[in-house]
Amino acid sequence: MTKALLAEWLDKAASCSLPGKGVSRLFLTKEHKRLLGYLRPLMEHCGLESEMDDAGNLVARKPALHSAKTLYLGSHQDTVPCGGCYDGILGVLVALLAVYELREVELPFNIEVIAFGDEEGTRFNSTLLGSTAVAGCFDPNILDCTDISGMSLAEALRRFGLNPDNIPQLTRNKEEAIGYVEVHIEQGPILENHRLPVGLVSAITGIERHMIKITGASGHAGTVPMHLRKDALVAAGNYISWLDTYSKTTKDLVGVVGKLDIYPNSVNVIPGIAELTLELRSPHGDTRRQARKELQKVTAKLVAQGFLVESELVYSLEEVICDQELTGRLESALVKEGIPPLTLFSGAGHDGLAMAHLCPVAMLFVRCRDGLSHHPDESIEIDDALTAKDILKRFIKDLASDF
Amino acid sequence: MTKALLAEWLDKAASCSLPGKGVSRLFLTKEHKRLLGYLRPLMEHCGLESEMDDAGNLVARKPALHSAKTLYLGSHQDTVPCGGCYDGILGVLVALLAVYELREVELPFNIEVIAFGDEEGTRFNSTLLGSTAVAGCFDPNILDCTDISGMSLAEALRRFGLNPDNIPQLTRNKEEAIGYVEVHIEQGPILENHRLPVGLVSAITGIERHMIKITGASGHAGTVPMHLRKDALVAAGNYISWLDTYSKTTKDLVGVVGKLDIYPNSVNVIPGIAELTLELRSPHGDTRRQARKELQKVTAKLVAQGFLVESELVYSLEEVICDQELTGRLESALVKEGIPPLTLFSGAGHDGLAMAHLCPVAMLFVRCRDGLSHHPDESIEIDDALTAKDILKRFIKDLASDF
């Protein structure tokens, strides 16, 4: 019964999408509006007050009679283009279902279930507007970011009926914030490999991205002797193989050269220029900094070989360590539900990165098939989501008892 | 005086170009026509008969009184876009100057100096139409090749006033062909490094090109553990580093991955597909075949790692070994001119690849600055070209004496 209900909610939410493969629901679009048209009545049907805020978040509230303290739950409503049915929205609906099942229970704190407007950041190449607004770390400069049509984020908010001038007023009071707990699909294969429905998140990874431009010397692929070549692609190969080997042999580090362009990119011309991006992710700042030092050694080697290397750190986001107490409470709930507790870190970013500025955060991951996400074939077992819901419900009740 | 003359000829030929950097003179264009308008009177001024043939070659003839035997000289008239002033046309003008200086000498064989229409093959993505027509290995299918505007080669020949139907009749008689000797800039740095004005060519390289498509698995750059990744760019790196190391340690082999495209080519996505070209050049067929075997080992390693690898040999051209007797005669002439003989192979293709189907071929390379070619800054010393002219003249006279 509950299973059918959650499946129906997920289906209805997934139908708020552009036509085509998977779910495409970008921030402040018609599809976003359609989802809100479905979610608001659903929230009210669950016995919650609902409110649209000026950052594009939809907030459902279960008020406490005599407390200003608030526990925050939820996740994001947006998807990548042709994404799946679960990334983001699952965390909103599971929280909603947990709170719905507690509708008869009076709690000693308020609960807000938030469907954050944008976490993927696909449309405006900026991210976490919704959660930074709530957490008080909103950067007004991102209002000038534009989408592919040239429309600014500020203009898109206005056309959606929102007033960006009010965003700074959305910041919650730190003293009154108990914590933020998010349920999210894992987007990786670890839980599946361990045959576990859910897992605890120790940290949300820190990320840094380097843009590297290598200038060697272009030339005729037949007439320049090998020992006189300065092949920029061969040089780029040094980064690619180093990063792969180093990441494979370093605990809790992943790395990728995701983008590589060479010039002139012609079958019979020695590549003269290679431009690549190199991304490092680890939940440990020290691990990333050590990797950066090793990266500099590769650069130094290439410079010594006569290459011109321009390397720039273009993006850097510190990790967020999940709160020990909140995570411990989640773990107790998990154990009481009979699930062996496995802790893993999140290699992807989440709204918790912003919410950590406001309050302690904790996350519960739900197993997904083949570790696949950001893809139309993204898939989960509804039973796993219900397990997450039960854990969340128990977590809330236990927190209330100890309050 | 002769120096000023050759410099003027080169300048005038270089001026037959599209506006812009360097020389752009593609096959069957207005610039080609302008060059012909300059070359024909020049050939006649040099005391030669001139004729335009239906393959777009301009042929200057110094007839012998009582012989059907013919020595072929020359090179190509066309350039790559924004090429230099010397690649191709130098060989035509040096031959013309040598024959001009022999205008009072009666020879026991005919000489033809040919300005071949297309060797670069830039316009129609086909190459050596002119020399294959003369040599009798013309492939009529290339008449259907089209340029960027969609015009076929056959149509372009007709619009130029030529009749492609007559091309098969251009084939010379093998019994009457003595040989083909071509002067060309080196397009590499070896003569410059040896401080030599000219050098002997042992062979024109064989070339093979492989297209390799590697399919791994795309995925989230943060959530897929390193040991579960199938990163197609990391796989491609195996070819890049193997080819560089193997070519550097194998005599007379050069190799390049000149073109590489990865998908989706995004900073935070594991590359799922990599497509690359891998080119091998060597004047020794065995060396190329051995390299191909080693290449297959790299492929086998990647397949064993779970990658899907589609590898195709898309282009293959056998090497042409320069004729020992003709080259020996060139060497004698070179030594008599006081130049230490250095023999090198040509890593680039030349008209000799086709002419070898008709008769023995030999080539003389002229030093070029920084090994630079196919570039507006391509540069030579006129004195080096005059040395080549003197050697060619002596070669012809010695050949006549021994005839």
Side-chain angles (χ1 to χ4, degrees), chain B residues 165-393:
Chain B
D165 298 339
N166 295 337
I167 291 176
Q169 297 158 32
L170 300 177
T171 304
R172 306 303 198 267
N173 184 325
K174 279 194 185 201
E175 275 64 49
E176 293 167 0
I178 300 169
Y180 172 68
V181 180
E182 176 171 350
V183 172
H184 200 283
I185 59 166
E186 182 197 339
Q187 306 184 279
I190 295 174
L191 292 171
E192 187 174 59
N193 287 353
H194 285 81
R195 299 170 187 267
L196 289 170
V198 295
L200 297 158
V201 177
S202 58
I204 304 170
T205 192
I207 305 177
E208 61 182 61
R209 291 178 185 153
H210 300 261
M211 282 267 286
I212 299 173
K213 181 178 177 182
I214 306 164
T215 305
S218 185
H220 192 298
T223 57
V224 183
M226 289 307 297
H227 71 283
L228 294 178
R229 296 189 181 200
K230 273 193 253 172
D231 183 323
L233 179 57
V234 171
N238 282 262
Y239 288 109
I240 297 164
S241 62
W242 163 75
L243 182 62
D244 188 58
T245 304
Y246 187 78
S247 302
K248 278 177 176 156
T249 53
T250 303
K251 193 170 178 305
D252 292 346
L253 177 74
V254 296
V256 77
V257 173
K259 193 160 159 39
L260 174 68
D261 296 290
I262 63 172
Y263 305 92
N265 208 29
S266 174
V267 61
N268 58 352
V269 183
I270 299 164
I273 293 173
E275 290 179 332
L276 58 99
T277 61
L278 191 151
E279 189 189 80
L280 300 166
R281 296 187 186 220
S282 173
H284 318 300
D286 284 348
T287 303
R288 288 197 312 281
R289 282 182 285 275
Q290 187 57 40
R292 205 187 302 167
K293 276 187 196 164
E294 296 295 324
L295 170 65
Q296 285 160 355
K297 287 185 195 166
V298 179
T299 301
K301 193 179 88 179
L302 294 175
V303 169
Q305 287 172 15
F307 290 96
L308 172 67
V309 181
E310 297 158 88
S311 176
E312 193 186 349
L313 178 65
V314 289
Y315 178 85
S316 178
L317 191 68
E318 287 297 301
E319 68 277 7
V320 162
I321 308 294
C322 289
D323 183 65
Q324 275 201 322
E325 197 219 312
L326 282 188
T327 305
R329 288 185 170 277
L330 269 183
E331 181 173 353
S332 302
L334 197 133
V335 170
K336 285 184 197 162
E337 292 292 328
I339 315 288
L342 181 82
T343 300
L344 66 169
F345 74 87
S346 171
H350 293 291
D351 288 294
L353 288 171
M355 290 299 281
H357 290 261
L358 177 71
C359 59
V361 303
M363 284 192 80
L364 190 67
F365 271 173
V366 175
R367 165 168 61 186
C368 67
R369 198 178 63 201
D370 298 334
L372 198 66
S373 183
H374 286 193
H375 193 282
D377 295 340
E378 185 181 87
S379 178
I380 64 161
E381 295 295 329
I382 298 293
D383 282 333
D384 293 352
L386 292 178
T387 300
K389 180 266 296 172
D390 289 337
I391 291 165
L392 192 59
K393 211 166 82 180

Side-chain angles (χ1 to χ4, degrees), chain B residues 46-259:
Chain B
C46 290
L48 305 173
E49 302 161 5
S50 79
E51 189 190 0
M52 190 68 201
D53 76 20
D54 283 301
N57 302 316
L58 180 62
V59 183
R61 190 172 168 88
K62 177 180 166 69
L65 279 181
H66 306 292
S67 174
K69 298 268 185 181
T70 303
L71 174 68
Y72 297 94
L73 308 175
S75 187
H76 58 96
Q77 71 79 30
D78 67 330
T79 71
V80 297
C82 303
C85 305
Y86 307 99
D87 178 2
I89 195 68
L90 179 75
V92 177
L93 296 175
V94 161
L96 215 52
L97 187 56
V99 176
Y100 174 57
E101 293 187 355
L102 292 170
R103 63 194 177 281
E104 308 293 343
V105 181
E106 198 172 302
L107 296 174
F109 46 76
N110 306 282
I111 289 184
E112 285 188 11
V113 178
I114 310 183
F116 291 111
D118 74 320
E119 186 264 1
E120 302 293 355
T122 310
R123 182 169 170 196
F124 294 97
N125 275 314
S126 69
T127 184
L128 303 176
L129 166 62
S131 45
T132 54
V134 169
C137 53
F138 165 66
D139 172 8
N141 290 319
I142 71 167
L143 291 171
D144 298 329
C145 293
T146 50
D147 69 6
I148 200 169
S149 77
M151 189 189 295
S152 73
L153 174 50
E155 174 66 14
L157 284 163
R158 284 199 189 89
R159 291 201 184 188
F160 209 71
L162 308 174
N163 183 355
D165 298 339
N166 295 337
I167 291 176
Q169 297 158 32
L170 300 177
T171 304
R172 306 303 198 267
N173 184 325
K174 279 194 185 201
E175 275 64 49
E176 293 167 0
I178 300 169
Y180 172 68
V181 180
E182 176 171 350
V183 172
H184 200 283
I185 59 166
E186 182 197 339
Q187 306 184 279
I190 295 174
L191 292 171
E192 187 174 59
N193 287 353
H194 285 81
R195 299 170 187 267
L196 289 170
V198 295
L200 297 158
V201 177
S202 58
I204 304 170
T205 192
I207 305 177
E208 61 182 61
R209 291 178 185 153
H210 300 261
M211 282 267 286
I212 299 173
K213 181 178 177 182
I214 306 164
T215 305
S218 185
H220 192 298
T223 57
V224 183
M226 289 307 297
H227 71 283
L228 294 178
R229 296 189 181 200
K230 273 193 253 172
D231 183 323
L233 179 57
V234 171
N238 282 262
Y239 288 109
I240 297 164
S241 62
W242 163 75
L243 182 62
D244 188 58
T245 304
Y246 187 78
S247 302
K248 278 177 176 156
T249 53
T250 303
K251 193 170 178 305
D252 292 346
L253 177 74
V254 296
V256 77
V257 173
K259 193 160 159 39

Side-chain angles (χ1 to χ4, degrees), chain A residues 33-231:
Chain A
K33 193 142 255 173
R34 274 171 56 205
L35 180 78
L36 296 172
Y38 171 65
L39 271 190
R40 288 196 75 159
L42 180 65
M43 286 170 165
E44 279 158 29
H45 168 79
C46 290
L48 305 172
E49 302 161 3
S50 80
E51 189 190 359
M52 188 69 201
D53 77 19
D54 285 301
N57 303 316
L58 179 62
V59 183
R61 191 173 167 90
K62 175 180 168 66
L65 279 181
H66 307 292
S67 173
K69 298 267 185 182
T70 303
L71 174 68
Y72 297 94
L73 307 175
S75 187
H76 57 97
Q77 71 80 28
D78 65 330
T79 72
V80 295
C82 303
C85 304
Y86 308 99
D87 178 2
I89 195 69
L90 179 75
V92 177
L93 297 176
V94 161
L96 213 52
L97 187 56
V99 176
Y100 174 57
E101 294 188 354
L102 293 169
R103 64 192 175 282
E104 307 294 342
V105 181
E106 199 172 300
L107 296 173
F109 45 77
N110 307 281
I111 289 184
E112 285 187 10
V113 178
I114 310 183
F116 290 112
D118 75 319
E119 186 264 2
E120 301 293 355
T122 309
R123 180 168 171 196
F124 294 98
N125 274 314
S126 68
T127 184
L128 302 176
L129 166 62
S131 44
T132 55
V134 168
C137 53
F138 164 66
D139 172 8
N141 290 319
I142 70 167
L143 291 171
D144 297 330
C145 293
T146 52
D147 68 7
I148 202 168
S149 77
M151 189 191 295
S152 72
L153 174 52
E155 174 65 14
L157 284 163
R158 283 196 189 90
R159 292 200 184 190
F160 209 72
L162 308 174
N163 183 356
D165 299 338
N166 293 338
I167 291 177
Q169 297 158 32
L170 300 177
T171 304
R172 307 301 199 266
N173 184 325
K174 278 193 187 204
E175 274 66 48
E176 293 167 1
I178 299 168
Y180 171 69
V181 180
E182 177 171 349
V183 171
H184 201 283
I185 61 165
E186 182 198 338
Q187 306 184 281
I190 295 173
L191 292 172
E192 188 175 57
N193 287 354
H194 284 80
R195 298 169 189 266
L196 289 170
V198 296
L200 297 158
V201 177
S202 57
I204 304 171
T205 193
I207 305 176
E208 61 183 61
R209 293 179 183 152
H210 300 261
M211 281 268 285
I212 300 174
K213 180 178 177 181
I214 306 165
T215 305
S218 186
H220 191 298
T223 58
V224 183
M226 290 307 297
H227 71 282
L228 294 177
R229 295 188 180 199
K230 272 191 254 172
D231 184 323

